[in-house]
Amino acid sequence: MPHVASLEFSGAKLRAARKQAGLSVAELADLACRGVDSVYHYEQGAQRPSVNAVKAMARILGLDYADLLSIEDVKPDA
């Protein structure tokens, strides 16, 4: 089977970028017009943000949208 990869949102990258920017979860949520619980869940990987949410948070953090994505291996069905 060929190797397959996909781009996925990375909560860990969001958390690292938020901390690097010196923002709390509440501050990022407020600036991105999102709920605090939502941003917390994005960072924990418990919830996937919409494309618009990722773009908004990336813009606030001075990043490109792609900076909050990671390459994930996808196992093909056997």
Side-chain angles (χ1 to χ4, degrees), residues 8-78:
E8 297 289 335
F9 171 76
S10 172
K13 287 185 177 184
L14 174 62
R15 183 173 47 254
R18 175 184 58 76
K19 287 183 176 184
Q20 178 75 27
L23 295 174
S24 69
V25 171
E27 289 168 328
L28 178 58
D30 185 52
L31 291 169
C33 299
R34 304 285 176 230
V36 174
D37 288 344
S38 292
V39 174
Y40 175 78
H41 287 124
Y42 299 158
E43 289 188 357
Q44 299 304 312
Q47 184 179 347
R48 276 188 160 169
S50 68
V51 171
N52 287 337
V54 175
K55 287 180 178 179
M57 291 183 294
R59 186 173 52 251
I60 290 161
L61 297 169
L63 303 173
D64 185 73
Y65 171 83
D67 293 333
L68 296 178
L69 303 179
S70 63
I71 297 174
E72 301 289 328
D73 288 330
V74 177
K75 294 183 181 184
D77 293 333

